[in-house]
Amino acid sequence: DVVRGGLVTNSQLLSCRSGKVTPSQVAKNIIAMLEDCDKSTPPLRAIVQWDQEQIMLMAEASTIRYRNKCTLSCLDGIPVCLKEEFKVVPYYHRVGTVYLGTQPEAEDATVAKKLREAGAIIIGVSNMHELGTGTTGCNPNRYHRIPRNPYNPNHFTGGSSSGSAAAVAAGLCPVAIGTDGGGSVRIPASFCGVVGLKGTFGRISCHGSLPLSYSTVSVGPICTSVADAAIVYSILAEPDLLYPYGLKQPKATLSGMCAPDLKGLKLGVDWTFFKACDAEVLSVCEKAVKHLQSLGASVVEVSLPEMEEARVAHVICILSEMRDFLQPDFNKHFHEMNLETRASLALASQFTALDYIKANRQRTRSMRFLQDIFSTVNCILTPAVPCTAPRIYESDLLTGSSDMSFTVRSMRFMQLGNFTGIPGLVVPIGYSTAGLPISLQVMAKWWDEAVLLRIGLKLEQFRHQTKKPSIYYDILA
């Protein structure tokens, strides 16, 4: 049922199984499109490292499997990319910098390994905000440059999984993998009009990604549809002996995901919190909530206590952990970092051990509050981001962008999920008058990704029309 509900992934599967197109043909199309991306004005800069030979080797192996009717999974032959934060053979593990990853990788991150085992075609590694330190995706260094929003190339993609969202929105691949420590999957997915899932903390292995913040970061897919996200989630979500944080997780399930309606579900909304967004965003999100009600769900008003305390505590936790891990980099490579990265790490150095201890006490309080809330509702609804994707200015191309007020605002609805570890799903539900995407977020209790995906499928029905981005490639053409 999940596969039948897919969009791009499903259409390619059907084409491959019918023999109308082969993974090798799709791969050749993608290679031509990657070449075009690099030459376009301005360059898309979604995929920053790719190798024609590697792509074709994987595609040809998949083509043989289809011919012999022995495919490995629903992802066999499907093009995917991974954020440069992951180790992917044979690419450089630069993590958005100019100084890391001086040698090609010889060993895959766990998620890359799982994707290969599923038969997916890894088309390369995607652009990212340097060291994941921002939410715009602005990275002016010589290896990366500024990724462009496919809906309007004069606007940012969001970050830090910037290239992953841009690649999916532009049609280069229906699946990309990102990391999310403060909205880094969900913000770019929202700005680029695609689906983004942040799994429960520990649900998908982080092994083989740079451990920038060990208590806030989750891995998740960015996809063309909720059904595609469910497929990827079902393949990646399981314990990994190399990643101890997820060893005790319950078995991942998609139970009830394809229910015909939402009867019996209680959707929690803190309206004061919900309404702290631009008027255009609020209008579309309120209508989406009413759509979910029309499908049988009930909306229950809830109170999210101490949100300002949780917001500050999350910033203290993530920046303190990043500053601790990056201490040698900060000392040795300070002048090779972007100006924004330097500023963020310098700010992080002002936090004390006492700040960090108090922040983690707040985490315990916030998790207890959520336990109580989830005893009365199945999920919490919020807008995904309070605004649409911001504009790129000429100075950003040269020196980068450092706008702390925007960073704080863009993370407003994201931080609770990272701070407490609960899963979150963002689904595009409409567009601003300027044609930029708007998304709604659904959060659920720990390990209950299935209810997010169930609601997400119904949210997709609310968006009656999907506008084609101004930058779009049809890999099946």
Side-chain angles (χ1 to χ4, degrees):
D1 287 342
V2 172
V3 176
R4 282 201 294 272
L7 294 179
V8 175
T9 299
N10 192 35
S11 60
Q12 188 183 334
L13 276 171
L14 293 174
S15 297
C16 288
R17 285 173 180 168
S18 67
K20 290 179 181 177
V21 68
T22 67
S24 296
Q25 289 170 317
V26 172
K28 288 174 184 175
N29 290 346
I30 291 170
I31 289 165
M33 291 163 184
L34 289 171
E35 290 171 344
D36 184 74
C37 286
D38 288 342
K39 295 172 186 173
S40 62
T41 306
L44 181 61
R45 298 305 294 162
I47 307 295
V48 289
Q49 297 182 60
W50 58 278
D51 182 278
Q52 179 173 336
E53 184 180 354
Q54 289 289 321
I55 295 170
M56 289 309 303
L57 280 172
M58 286 180 276
E60 286 161 4
S62 179
T63 298
I64 292 169
R65 289 193 294 271
Y66 273 100
R67 188 182 302 140
N68 295 333
K69 294 182 170 50
C70 59
T71 51
L72 298 173
S73 78
C74 292
L75 287 184
D76 206 326
I78 302 299
V80 304
C81 69
L82 292 95
K83 185 179 183 179
E84 201 181 54
E85 194 169 329
F86 293 99
K87 294 180 178 180
V88 182
V89 178
Y91 302 109
Y92 296 89
H93 190 214
R94 292 185 177 130
V95 200
T97 73
V98 296
Y99 66 86
L100 288 174
T102 56
Q103 298 295 323
E105 281 305 313
E107 186 177 351
D108 280 327
T110 295
V111 288
K113 183 181 177 185
K114 281 183 168 294
L115 290 168
R116 287 190 204 275
E117 290 170 349
I121 301 170
I122 298 174
I123 66 168
V125 294
S126 49
N127 207 341
M128 64 176 287
H129 206 108
E130 186 179 60
L131 295 169
T133 55
T135 61
T136 59
C138 183
N139 188 352
N141 74 44
R142 66 181 182 272
Y143 287 142
H144 298 87
R145 302 299 175 190
I146 314 298
R148 303 296 178 135
N149 192 316
Y151 276 91
N152 187 327
N154 294 318
H155 287 251
F156 283 117
T157 58
S160 63
S161 306
S162 49
S164 296
V168 173
L172 292 173
C173 54
V175 174
I177 307 298
T179 58
D180 190 315
S184 286
V185 160
R186 293 163 292 158
I187 292 172
S190 302
F191 282 164
C192 292
V194 290
V195 173
L197 172 65
K198 181 199 88 71
T200 303
F201 178 77
R203 176 62 103 178
I204 299 174
S205 175
C206 280
H207 175 73
S209 67
L210 202 70
L212 294 167
S213 169
Y214 54 83
S215 77
T216 68
V217 174
S218 296
V219 177
I222 296 174
C223 299
T224 52
S225 71
V226 173
D228 290 350
I231 292 167
V232 179
Y233 166 76
S234 67
I235 288 171
L236 297 182
E238 66 177 2
D240 174 15
L241 291 175
L242 299 173
Y243 185 65
Y245 294 119
L247 287 180
K248 299 293 184 180
Q249 64 178 277
K251 185 174 177 58
T253 175
L254 299 178
S255 176
M257 176 183 160
C258 296
D261 53 43
L262 298 179
K263 288 177 182 176
L265 289 186
K266 294 180 179 179
L267 317 178
V269 179
D270 181 329
W271 286 111
T272 302
F273 186 58
F274 190 102
K275 291 179 179 180
C277 58
D278 290 351
E280 243 183 339
V281 173
L282 178 60
S283 175
V284 178
C285 288
E286 285 180 326
K287 290 173 184 173
V289 173
K290 288 179 181 176
H291 166 74
L292 296 178
Q293 278 183 288
S294 73
L295 294 170
S298 58
V299 172
V300 178
E301 190 158 353
V302 297
S303 174
L304 296 172
E306 300 181 8
M307 287 304 294
E308 182 62 15
E309 289 86 347
R311 182 189 69 78
V312 173
H314 167 263
V315 170
I316 291 170
C317 285
I318 189 170
L319 284 181
S320 295
E321 290 167 7
M322 291 177 78
R323 183 66 172 83
D324 172 57
F325 179 75
L326 294 170
Q327 176 73 22
D329 302 57
F330 192 69
N331 292 338
K332 188 175 179 182
H333 299 285
F334 179 84
H335 293 290
E336 295 173 88
M337 293 176 172
N338 292 335
L339 294 172
E340 182 188 16
T341 307
R342 297 185 211 174
S344 297
L345 294 178
L347 169 65
S349 68
Q350 301 304 305
F351 297 133
T352 66
L354 184 59
D355 293 329
Y356 187 72
I357 290 167
K358 286 184 175 179
N360 277 285
R361 286 177 178 157
Q362 179 62 48
R363 194 198 306 260
T364 303
R365 288 178 62 84
S366 295
M367 291 175 76
R368 182 56 190 267
F369 293 144
L370 285 177
Q371 280 182 322
D372 292 340
I373 289 169
F374 285 127
S375 69
T376 61
V377 298
N378 299 98
C379 68
I380 297 168
L381 303 179
T382 71
V385 191
C387 58
T388 54
R391 187 172 179 82
I392 298 171
Y393 293 97
E394 284 298 316
S395 60
D396 300 332
L397 305 176
L398 301 173
T399 57
S401 172
S402 184
D403 185 343
M404 195 58 71
S405 63
F406 170 77
T407 302
V408 169
R409 189 164 188 247
S410 64
M411 293 196 301
R412 175 177 178 82
F413 300 118
M414 301 283 119
Q415 292 172 283
L416 184 63
N418 296 112
F419 189 48
T420 63
I422 59 173
L425 177 75
V426 296
V427 180
I429 54 170
Y431 305 90
S432 69
T433 52
L436 292 167
I438 294 170
S439 296
L440 190 77
Q441 176 176 229
V442 193
M443 295 181 285
K445 68 179 181 292
W446 301 270
W447 317 114
D448 199 8
E449 286 86 351
V451 77
L452 299 183
L453 296 163
R454 176 183 174 185
I455 295 168
L457 283 175
K458 303 308 180 191
L459 274 176
E460 286 181 319
Q461 298 172 3
F462 171 75
R463 186 185 55 172
H464 302 297
Q465 181 186 11
T466 301
K467 293 182 181 178
K468 190 176 180 180
S470 59
I471 301 174
Y472 186 78
Y473 297 93
D474 184 353
I475 61 174
L476 296 180

